[in-house]
mmCIF file with all atom_site columns, all heavy atoms in Angstrom:
data_model
loop_
_atom_site.group_PDB
_atom_site.id
_atom_site.type_symbol
_atom_site.label_atom_id
_atom_site.label_alt_id
_atom_site.label_comp_id
_atom_site.label_asym_id
_atom_site.label_entity_id
_atom_site.label_seq_id
_atom_site.pdbx_PDB_ins_code
_atom_site.Cartn_x
_atom_site.Cartn_y
_atom_site.Cartn_z
_atom_site.occupancy
_atom_site.B_iso_or_equiv
_atom_site.pdbx_formal_charge
_atom_site.auth_seq_id
_atom_site.auth_comp_id
_atom_site.auth_asym_id
_atom_site.auth_atom_id
_atom_site.pdbx_PDB_model_num
ATOM 1   N N   . VAL A 1 318 ? -19.059 -8.968  20.026 1.00 98.00 ? 1343 VAL A N   1
ATOM 2   C CA  . VAL A 1 318 ? -19.161 -10.179 19.136 1.00 98.00 ? 1343 VAL A CA  1
ATOM 3   C C   . VAL A 1 318 ? -17.727 -10.590 18.976 1.00 98.00 ? 1343 VAL A C   1
ATOM 4   O O   . VAL A 1 318 ? -16.885 -9.852  18.596 1.00 98.00 ? 1343 VAL A O   1
ATOM 5   C CB  . VAL A 1 318 ? -19.788 -9.837  17.761 1.00 98.00 ? 1343 VAL A CB  1
ATOM 6   C CG1 . VAL A 1 318 ? -19.632 -10.982 16.814 1.00 98.00 ? 1343 VAL A CG1 1
ATOM 7   C CG2 . VAL A 1 318 ? -21.324 -9.525  17.929 1.00 98.00 ? 1343 VAL A CG2 1
ATOM 8   N N   . PHE A 1 319 ? -17.456 -11.856 19.345 1.00 98.00 ? 1344 PHE A N   1
ATOM 9   C CA  . PHE A 1 319 ? -16.024 -12.349 19.276 1.00 98.00 ? 1344 PHE A CA  1
ATOM 10  C C   . PHE A 1 319 ? -15.836 -13.053 18.008 1.00 98.00 ? 1344 PHE A C   1
ATOM 11  O O   . PHE A 1 319 ? -16.614 -13.938 17.596 1.00 98.00 ? 1344 PHE A O   1
ATOM 12  C CB  . PHE A 1 319 ? -15.770 -13.329 20.416 1.00 98.00 ? 1344 PHE A CB  1
ATOM 13  C CG  . PHE A 1 319 ? -15.772 -12.655 21.786 1.00 98.00 ? 1344 PHE A CG  1
ATOM 14  C CD1 . PHE A 1 319 ? -16.166 -13.342 22.874 1.00 98.00 ? 1344 PHE A CD1 1
ATOM 15  C CD2 . PHE A 1 319 ? -15.323 -11.367 21.961 1.00 98.00 ? 1344 PHE A CD2 1
ATOM 16  C CE1 . PHE A 1 319 ? -16.182 -12.776 24.197 1.00 98.00 ? 1344 PHE A CE1 1
ATOM 17  C CE2 . PHE A 1 319 ? -15.305 -10.756 23.180 1.00 98.00 ? 1344 PHE A CE2 1
ATOM 18  C CZ  . PHE A 1 319 ? -15.739 -11.463 24.336 1.00 98.00 ? 1344 PHE A CZ  1
ATOM 19  N N   . ILE A 1 320 ? -14.759 -12.691 17.297 1.00 98.00 ? 1345 ILE A N   1
ATOM 20  C CA  . ILE A 1 320 ? -14.396 -13.401 16.005 1.00 98.00 ? 1345 ILE A CA  1
ATOM 21  C C   . ILE A 1 320 ? -13.100 -14.089 16.188 1.00 98.00 ? 1345 ILE A C   1
ATOM 22  O O   . ILE A 1 320 ? -12.322 -13.885 17.068 1.00 98.00 ? 1345 ILE A O   1
ATOM 23  C CB  . ILE A 1 320 ? -14.341 -12.346 14.865 1.00 98.00 ? 1345 ILE A CB  1
ATOM 24  C CG1 . ILE A 1 320 ? -13.372 -11.166 15.341 1.00 98.00 ? 1345 ILE A CG1 1
ATOM 25  C CG2 . ILE A 1 320 ? -15.669 -11.845 14.437 1.00 98.00 ? 1345 ILE A CG2 1
ATOM 26  C CD1 . ILE A 1 320 ? -12.857 -10.374 14.206 1.00 98.00 ? 1345 ILE A CD1 1
ATOM 27  N N   . ASP A 1 321 ? -12.843 -14.995 15.180 1.00 98.00 ? 1346 ASP A N   1
ATOM 28  C CA  . ASP A 1 321 ? -11.628 -15.884 15.289 1.00 98.00 ? 1346 ASP A CA  1
ATOM 29  C C   . ASP A 1 321 ? -10.381 -15.337 14.799 1.00 98.00 ? 1346 ASP A C   1
ATOM 30  O O   . ASP A 1 321 ? -9.444  -16.012 14.523 1.00 98.00 ? 1346 ASP A O   1
ATOM 31  C CB  . ASP A 1 321 ? -11.942 -17.279 14.643 1.00 98.00 ? 1346 ASP A CB  1
ATOM 32  C CG  . ASP A 1 321 ? -12.315 -17.128 13.172 1.00 98.00 ? 1346 ASP A CG  1
ATOM 33  O OD1 . ASP A 1 321 ? -12.557 -16.007 12.707 1.00 98.00 ? 1346 ASP A OD1 1
ATOM 34  O OD2 . ASP A 1 321 ? -12.441 -18.182 12.534 1.00 98.00 ? 1346 ASP A OD2 1
ATOM 35  N N   . GLY A 1 322 ? -10.356 -13.967 14.515 1.00 98.00 ? 1347 GLY A N   1
ATOM 36  C CA  . GLY A 1 322 ? -9.165  -13.179 14.096 1.00 98.00 ? 1347 GLY A CA  1
ATOM 37  C C   . GLY A 1 322 ? -9.001  -12.049 14.997 1.00 98.00 ? 1347 GLY A C   1
ATOM 38  O O   . GLY A 1 322 ? -9.189  -12.111 16.228 1.00 98.00 ? 1347 GLY A O   1
ATOM 39  N N   . GLY A 1 323 ? -8.573  -10.928 14.397 1.00 98.00 ? 1348 GLY A N   1
ATOM 40  C CA  . GLY A 1 323 ? -8.432  -9.640  15.189 1.00 98.00 ? 1348 GLY A CA  1
ATOM 41  C C   . GLY A 1 323 ? -7.256  -8.872  14.782 1.00 98.00 ? 1348 GLY A C   1
ATOM 42  O O   . GLY A 1 323 ? -6.846  -8.797  13.593 1.00 98.00 ? 1348 GLY A O   1
ATOM 43  N N   . MET A 1 324 ? -6.629  -8.235  15.778 1.00 98.00 ? 1349 MET A N   1
ATOM 44  C CA  . MET A 1 324 ? -5.510  -7.309  15.481 1.00 98.00 ? 1349 MET A CA  1
ATOM 45  C C   . MET A 1 324 ? -4.371  -8.009  14.806 1.00 98.00 ? 1349 MET A C   1
ATOM 46  O O   . MET A 1 324 ? -3.524  -7.342  14.207 1.00 98.00 ? 1349 MET A O   1
ATOM 47  C CB  . MET A 1 324 ? -5.035  -6.565  16.751 1.00 98.00 ? 1349 MET A CB  1
ATOM 48  C CG  . MET A 1 324 ? -4.433  -7.502  17.756 1.00 98.00 ? 1349 MET A CG  1
ATOM 49  S SD  . MET A 1 324 ? -4.118  -6.683  19.353 1.00 98.00 ? 1349 MET A SD  1
ATOM 50  C CE  . MET A 1 324 ? -2.826  -5.579  18.922 1.00 98.00 ? 1349 MET A CE  1
ATOM 51  N N   . ILE A 1 355 ? -16.932 -5.457  17.654 1.00 98.00 ? 1380 ILE A N   1
ATOM 52  C CA  . ILE A 1 355 ? -16.370 -6.724  17.138 1.00 98.00 ? 1380 ILE A CA  1
ATOM 53  C C   . ILE A 1 355 ? -14.930 -6.857  17.626 1.00 98.00 ? 1380 ILE A C   1
ATOM 54  O O   . ILE A 1 355 ? -14.097 -5.996  17.359 1.00 98.00 ? 1380 ILE A O   1
ATOM 55  C CB  . ILE A 1 355 ? -16.399 -6.757  15.620 1.00 98.00 ? 1380 ILE A CB  1
ATOM 56  C CG1 . ILE A 1 355 ? -17.808 -6.592  15.063 1.00 98.00 ? 1380 ILE A CG1 1
ATOM 57  C CG2 . ILE A 1 355 ? -15.828 -8.071  15.103 1.00 98.00 ? 1380 ILE A CG2 1
ATOM 58  C CD1 . ILE A 1 355 ? -17.894 -6.443  13.552 1.00 98.00 ? 1380 ILE A CD1 1
ATOM 59  N N   . ALA A 1 356 ? -14.717 -7.853  18.491 1.00 98.00 ? 1381 ALA A N   1
ATOM 60  C CA  . ALA A 1 356 ? -13.402 -7.993  19.069 1.00 98.00 ? 1381 ALA A CA  1
ATOM 61  C C   . ALA A 1 356 ? -12.737 -9.329  18.715 1.00 98.00 ? 1381 ALA A C   1
ATOM 62  O O   . ALA A 1 356 ? -13.407 -10.301 18.419 1.00 98.00 ? 1381 ALA A O   1
ATOM 63  C CB  . ALA A 1 356 ? -13.534 -7.968  20.615 1.00 98.00 ? 1381 ALA A CB  1
ATOM 64  N N   . GLY A 1 357 ? -11.404 -9.235  18.656 1.00 98.00 ? 1382 GLY A N   1
ATOM 65  C CA  . GLY A 1 357 ? -10.657 -10.474 18.279 1.00 98.00 ? 1382 GLY A CA  1
ATOM 66  C C   . GLY A 1 357 ? -10.344 -11.274 19.487 1.00 98.00 ? 1382 GLY A C   1
ATOM 67  O O   . GLY A 1 357 ? -10.884 -11.110 20.603 1.00 98.00 ? 1382 GLY A O   1
ATOM 68  N N   . LYS A 1 358 ? -9.404  -12.261 19.284 1.00 97.00 ? 1383 LYS A N   1
ATOM 69  C CA  . LYS A 1 358 ? -9.116  -13.191 20.346 1.00 97.00 ? 1383 LYS A CA  1
ATOM 70  C C   . LYS A 1 358 ? -7.791  -13.048 21.028 1.00 97.00 ? 1383 LYS A C   1
ATOM 71  O O   . LYS A 1 358 ? -7.324  -13.882 21.783 1.00 97.00 ? 1383 LYS A O   1
ATOM 72  C CB  . LYS A 1 358 ? -9.259  -14.591 19.813 1.00 97.00 ? 1383 LYS A CB  1
ATOM 73  C CG  . LYS A 1 358 ? -8.482  -14.885 18.566 1.00 97.00 ? 1383 LYS A CG  1
ATOM 74  C CD  . LYS A 1 358 ? -8.786  -16.248 17.929 1.00 97.00 ? 1383 LYS A CD  1
ATOM 75  C CE  . LYS A 1 358 ? -8.077  -17.380 18.687 1.00 97.00 ? 1383 LYS A CE  1
ATOM 76  N NZ  . LYS A 1 358 ? -8.991  -18.429 19.076 1.00 97.00 ? 1383 LYS A NZ  1
ATOM 77  N N   . CYS A 1 359 ? -7.152  -11.844 20.779 1.00 97.00 ? 1384 CYS A N   1
ATOM 78  C CA  . CYS A 1 359 ? -5.851  -11.627 21.366 1.00 97.00 ? 1384 CYS A CA  1
ATOM 79  C C   . CYS A 1 359 ? -5.940  -11.160 22.819 1.00 97.00 ? 1384 CYS A C   1
ATOM 80  O O   . CYS A 1 359 ? -6.953  -10.594 23.232 1.00 97.00 ? 1384 CYS A O   1
ATOM 81  C CB  . CYS A 1 359 ? -5.124  -10.535 20.647 1.00 97.00 ? 1384 CYS A CB  1
ATOM 82  S SG  . CYS A 1 359 ? -4.544  -11.042 19.018 1.00 97.00 ? 1384 CYS A SG  1
ATOM 83  N N   . ASP A 1 364 ? -7.607  -5.067  21.117 1.00 98.00 ? 1389 ASP A N   1
ATOM 84  C CA  . ASP A 1 364 ? -7.886  -6.019  19.940 1.00 98.00 ? 1389 ASP A CA  1
ATOM 85  C C   . ASP A 1 364 ? -9.251  -5.882  19.439 1.00 98.00 ? 1389 ASP A C   1
ATOM 86  O O   . ASP A 1 364 ? -10.088 -6.778  19.744 1.00 98.00 ? 1389 ASP A O   1
ATOM 87  C CB  . ASP A 1 364 ? -7.505  -7.431  20.413 1.00 98.00 ? 1389 ASP A CB  1
ATOM 88  C CG  . ASP A 1 364 ? -7.761  -8.415  19.318 1.00 98.00 ? 1389 ASP A CG  1
ATOM 89  O OD1 . ASP A 1 364 ? -7.843  -8.054  18.156 1.00 98.00 ? 1389 ASP A OD1 1
ATOM 90  O OD2 . ASP A 1 364 ? -7.962  -9.613  19.636 1.00 98.00 ? 1389 ASP A OD2 1
ATOM 91  N N   . ILE A 1 365 ? -9.557  -4.824  18.757 1.00 98.00 ? 1390 ILE A N   1
ATOM 92  C CA  . ILE A 1 365 ? -10.894 -4.559  18.311 1.00 98.00 ? 1390 ILE A CA  1
ATOM 93  C C   . ILE A 1 365 ? -10.885 -4.296  16.784 1.00 98.00 ? 1390 ILE A C   1
ATOM 94  O O   . ILE A 1 365 ? -10.028 -3.634  16.294 1.00 98.00 ? 1390 ILE A O   1
ATOM 95  C CB  . ILE A 1 365 ? -11.472 -3.379  19.142 1.00 98.00 ? 1390 ILE A CB  1
ATOM 96  C CG1 . ILE A 1 365 ? -11.930 -3.940  20.486 1.00 98.00 ? 1390 ILE A CG1 1
ATOM 97  C CG2 . ILE A 1 365 ? -12.611 -2.637  18.462 1.00 98.00 ? 1390 ILE A CG2 1
ATOM 98  C CD1 . ILE A 1 365 ? -12.215 -2.985  21.516 1.00 98.00 ? 1390 ILE A CD1 1
ATOM 99  N N   . ILE A 1 366 ? -11.799 -4.835  16.100 1.00 98.00 ? 1391 ILE A N   1
ATOM 100 C CA  . ILE A 1 366 ? -11.884 -4.591  14.665 1.00 98.00 ? 1391 ILE A CA  1
ATOM 101 C C   . ILE A 1 366 ? -12.888 -3.501  14.307 1.00 98.00 ? 1391 ILE A C   1
ATOM 102 O O   . ILE A 1 366 ? -12.610 -2.703  13.432 1.00 98.00 ? 1391 ILE A O   1
ATOM 103 C CB  . ILE A 1 366 ? -12.292 -5.918  13.929 1.00 98.00 ? 1391 ILE A CB  1
ATOM 104 C CG1 . ILE A 1 366 ? -11.125 -6.936  14.015 1.00 98.00 ? 1391 ILE A CG1 1
ATOM 105 C CG2 . ILE A 1 366 ? -12.730 -5.693  12.450 1.00 98.00 ? 1391 ILE A CG2 1
ATOM 106 C CD1 . ILE A 1 366 ? -9.869  -6.565  13.201 1.00 98.00 ? 1391 ILE A CD1 1
#
Side-chain angles (χ1 to χ4, degrees):
V1343 168
F1344 293 148
I1345 49 161
D1346 56 353
M1349 65 189 292
I1380 303 175
K1383 51 189 282 129
C1384 289
D1389 176 21
I1390 279 166
I1391 290 293

